[in-house]
Amino acid sequence: SAPIGFAPIGINKIYNSAGEIPVAKVAKELNLPYCLSTAGSSSIEEVAAANGQGPRFYQLYMPHDDELTISLLTRAFKNGFDVCILTTDTWQLGWRHDDVATGNYAFYRGVGADLGLSDPVFQKRLATAGIDPKKEPEKAGAMWIDNVWHGRAWSWDKIPWLIRTWKQISGGKPFCLKGIQSVDDAKRAVKAGCDGIVVSNHAGRQVDGAIASLDALENIVAAIGNKTYIMYDSGIRGSDIVKALALGAKFVWVGRLWVWGLSIMGESGVRHVMKSLLADFDILMNVSGFQNVEEIDQSAIGENAVPMFKIGELKSVARVLS
């Protein structure tokens, strides 16, 4: 219904005990794409059931174990996730002061590893290690996070295998990379055969002092144009959607807004926030004179843009988005 989707955010159960389920349900109601994170705290199957016939993506954090990767991708496709997005910028968590100070690492506390604990290959790994996830949830959660995130950064050499594997499992469905910030990486993604990229700095939560994603977007669009499908993510609020589309993104992912809604009011909070965002987007298009999304282009921004955004204002926003 709009070029807006529910960005992949992990461990929703730390915000609401229902986890990802109400979020997937609202995404279906609003006919907006939903993206499930490998760090999800509900199983792939449960999320798919809640999302029904809604369009959905699966965001992969690639395990250190190829058999486990194949199992996750197979489960995702069998449950209606038609696009795979590999996140490239979080092979290890960034230095997050508040998380360290409060010990906010849910997996190590036996919370939120449901997506992994429901996987048959990972269940075999647990059994081999002699870990009973029901009796030892902390050990099981620690093994999950250590198998998927810590200790190995994948290189470009692994991308052909992953694309080929996903295409074989899915019958040729799209494969995308998330976390692209440089022109060189965008060009390599095109060369590797990626169907799309997500320009993102992980909402500023990984590299301290990273370039604002809106600046990165402008550079990348100028360099690769329509050679791949360009999506945008990081710190989105109302008018930021139009700015990203004007700079060349085809689609925008929204994360923090719906997490706030989920935290405060659960399913109804998610629904309220996202319906408000859609209304904001619709009204902004109306008062700016755009009759459809296709009319939004770079003519909407710049020194002579009327009635949209002056370039100085845009650069100001870019500096604070993350």
Side-chain angles (χ1 to χ4, degrees):
S1 58
I4 301 167
F6 285 71
I9 293 181
I11 328 178
N12 286 186
K13 285 186 178 177
I14 66 176
Y15 311 112
N16 185 282
S17 60
E20 289 73 12
I21 303 307
V23 187
K25 181 180 177 182
V26 172
K28 175 189 65 175
E29 290 177 8
L30 300 180
N31 193 30
L32 297 175
Y34 172 83
C35 191
L36 173 64
S37 170
T38 297
S41 52
S42 304
S43 74
I44 291 172
E45 294 76 13
E46 290 171 331
V47 172
N51 193 237
Q53 297 302 309
R56 51 186 176 268
F57 295 51
Y58 178 66
Q59 177 265 323
L60 176 69
Y61 286 119
M62 187 158 48
H64 307 167
D65 176 338
D66 286 352
E67 186 182 3
L68 180 53
T69 298
I70 291 170
S71 180
L72 292 171
L73 294 180
T74 300
R75 290 171 63 202
F77 178 68
K78 285 184 176 179
N79 284 279
F81 292 84
D82 289 330
V83 181
C84 175
I85 298 181
L86 174 69
T87 292
T88 61
D89 59 11
T90 317
W91 67 274
Q92 127 172 4
L93 294 179
W95 180 248
R96 302 175 182 177
H97 306 276
D98 288 346
D99 287 351
V100 173
T102 61
N104 183 26
Y105 297 101
F107 291 142
Y108 290 124
R109 298 179 182 277
V111 176
D114 303 53
L115 192 147
L117 299 181
S118 59
D119 189 90
V121 171
F122 189 67
Q123 288 171 353
K124 287 195 302 182
R125 301 291 185 265
L126 287 171
T128 299
I131 297 173
D132 183 337
K134 293 183 178 179
K135 295 180 180 178
E136 302 171 292
E138 293 86 358
K139 287 185 178 180
M143 185 171 173
W144 172 238
I145 191 172
D146 291 341
N147 266 266
V148 176
W149 286 273
H150 298 157
R152 179 182 297 174
W154 293 108
S155 72
W156 283 100
D157 294 338
K158 190 70 172 180
I159 296 299
W161 175 86
L162 184 58
I163 293 176
R164 184 172 63 252
T165 299
W166 169 249
K167 298 286 186 179
Q168 289 173 348
I169 289 170
S170 68
K173 297 293 185 180
F175 175 88
C176 307
L177 288 181
K178 180 176 181 286
I180 301 298
Q181 285 283 95
S182 75
V183 168
D184 286 346
D185 281 347
K187 289 179 176 179
R188 293 191 73 169
V190 171
K191 185 177 180 180
C194 296
D195 300 292
I197 60 173
V198 182
V199 178
S200 170
N201 65 10
H202 218 93
R205 302 179 69 238
Q206 280 299 99
V207 177
D208 187 18
I211 179 177
S213 293
L214 204 62
D215 285 334
L217 174 65
E218 188 174 15
N219 297 336
I220 288 169
V221 170
I224 67 172
N226 293 318
K227 293 179 181 178
T228 193
Y229 190 84
I230 300 176
M231 296 170 277
Y232 178 79
D233 166 87
S234 288
I236 286 292
R237 312 292 187 269
S239 64
D240 301 331
I241 297 167
V242 176
K243 294 169 187 174
L245 296 175
L247 285 173
K250 303 298 184 184
F251 189 85
V252 175
W253 293 101
V254 175
R256 282 178 176 154
L257 297 183
W258 64 256
V259 165
W260 292 335
L262 179 67
S263 300
I264 296 168
M265 294 184 65
E267 180 182 318
S268 60
V270 176
R271 184 179 294 107
H272 174 76
V273 167
M274 293 304 288
K275 290 181 74 173
S276 297
L277 182 67
L278 288 171
D280 187 1
F281 179 52
D282 182 62
I283 290 171
L284 183 60
M285 287 184 62
N286 276 314
V287 298
S288 301
F290 294 116
Q291 295 185 5
N292 54 63
V293 171
E294 287 70 28
E295 292 182 357
I296 302 173
D297 59 25
Q298 285 200 331
S299 67
I301 56 178
E303 293 299 335
N304 299 314
V306 177
M308 289 297 285
F309 313 102
K310 301 297 184 183
I311 196 69
E313 175 193 347
L314 185 65
K315 292 298 183 182
S316 175
V317 171
R319 285 193 294 271
V320 301
L321 270 181
S322 63

